[in-house]
Amino acid sequence: MQTDLAGKVALVTGGGAGIGAELSRRLSQRGATVLVLDRDLSAAKSVANAIDRGTAVQMDLADSASIALALADNAALREVDILVNNAGLTRVERFVDSDPSAWDTLWQVNLRAPMQLCRAIIPEMTKRGWGRVVFVATDSARAGGGGEGIYSATKAGLLGFSKTLARETARDGITSNVVCPGLIDTAMLQSVAENNAALMNKLIGAIPMRRMGSADEVAAAIEFLCSADSGYVTGQTFSVNGGITMM
């Protein structure tokens, strides 16, 4: 077990399940104190209680005022060395059928909330001269995805934002990178697949590995970008997708 993150504080949004839960476990094993942030407090507590040095944090990333209040009231959130913006929200529908009134929630959770957290946390990382920022986007942010126009657009914003942060903070000892999962077996995907079995079979058939990925496989890639080993890696975008896109 590596302990290169001993003494570091990691914040994982969407940490109550799926990729976030697996990543919280991995970062804890590396010695980090992990703030498991989720809208569902019971889910966050379940993950936090199952790892060493875990603390549950409840926050609604769809509410910018709630985020600001939490940042002001919780000193631990300002001491974060590793920020993983993992939480995400999607709707599957053709773009022309989408309701513009629903766009704002996806924009708030997928893009504005990560920007808001970075704005509050990165200045403190700069003072300490060390930091890791990782954004979890989606492969459709790079290649497009039928039925996920709004989701893809909001997640694509993370790619440009991450590269900007990478350029602006490199001399401060901070790295900024993006991981783009492909078809991953998570609760979010399962909810989409419930009434789309034929579509899911078609998508899996297009993957060279002929299977979905696991949350832990994505978490492993993120773990590397959070580690001391990744100190010379910044401004990069990594796909974890079984080869369905290659670029």
Side-chain angles (χ1 to χ4, degrees):
M1 183 175 66
Q2 299 187 58
T3 58
D4 58 308
L5 298 181
K8 303 297 186 185
V9 177
L11 173 62
V12 180
T13 71
I19 294 168
E22 294 294 343
L23 178 63
S24 295
R25 175 182 60 81
R26 284 176 169 271
L27 295 180
S28 172
Q29 289 177 341
R30 280 186 175 263
T33 295
V34 184
L35 306 179
V36 183
L37 187 153
D38 206 281
R39 180 177 59 180
D40 183 343
L41 182 59
S42 63
K45 285 182 175 179
S46 178
V47 173
N49 291 339
I51 62 177
D52 294 330
R53 300 170 304 280
T55 299
V57 178
Q58 185 177 34
M59 189 183 294
D60 183 0
L61 296 179
D63 184 347
S64 58
S66 171
I67 298 172
L69 182 62
L71 288 167
D73 289 348
N74 192 333
L77 294 177
R78 298 189 297 274
E79 298 172 358
V80 167
D81 303 291
I82 300 164
L83 172 59
V84 181
N85 293 286
N86 165 71
L89 185 65
T90 190
R91 295 174 186 270
V92 178
E93 56 192 350
R94 294 179 71 239
F95 173 70
V96 295
D97 297 328
S98 66
D99 181 355
S101 67
W103 296 354
D104 286 350
T105 301
L106 272 69
W107 136 251
Q108 172 64 42
V109 173
N110 296 343
L111 183 55
R112 193 185 193 285
M115 293 172 70
Q116 190 173 358
L117 290 173
C118 286
R119 180 64 184 83
I121 292 170
I122 286 179
E124 299 302 317
M125 289 182 179
T126 299
K127 292 177 184 177
R128 293 189 293 273
W130 195 96
R132 298 285 186 269
V133 181
V134 183
F135 300 90
V136 180
T138 173
D139 220 35
S140 65
R142 305 182 73 177
E148 291 188 319
I150 313 305
Y151 178 65
S152 299
T154 56
K155 288 291 191 176
L158 295 175
L159 276 61
F161 181 57
S162 176
K163 292 178 186 298
T164 297
L165 288 182
R167 292 187 181 278
E168 293 182 351
T169 64
R171 294 183 182 180
D172 300 315
I174 299 168
T175 66
S176 174
N177 295 286
V178 181
V179 171
C180 288
L183 205 65
I184 307 300
D185 189 9
T186 63
M188 185 169 73
L189 180 65
Q190 290 166 9
S191 67
V192 171
E194 283 181 0
N195 300 312
N196 296 279
L199 174 62
M200 292 301 300
N201 289 335
K202 182 178 179 180
L203 290 173
I204 293 172
I207 300 170
M209 290 187 176
R210 295 296 191 272
R211 67 174 179 87
M212 290 188 287
S214 70
D216 194 52
E217 287 173 315
V218 180
I222 303 170
E223 177 190 4
F224 166 71
L225 295 173
C226 294
S227 72
D229 294 336
S230 66
Y232 200 55
V233 179
T234 195
Q236 304 306 307
T237 301
F238 296 84
S239 285
V240 182
N241 63 12
I244 193 169
T245 62
M246 300 182 185
M247 55 180 163

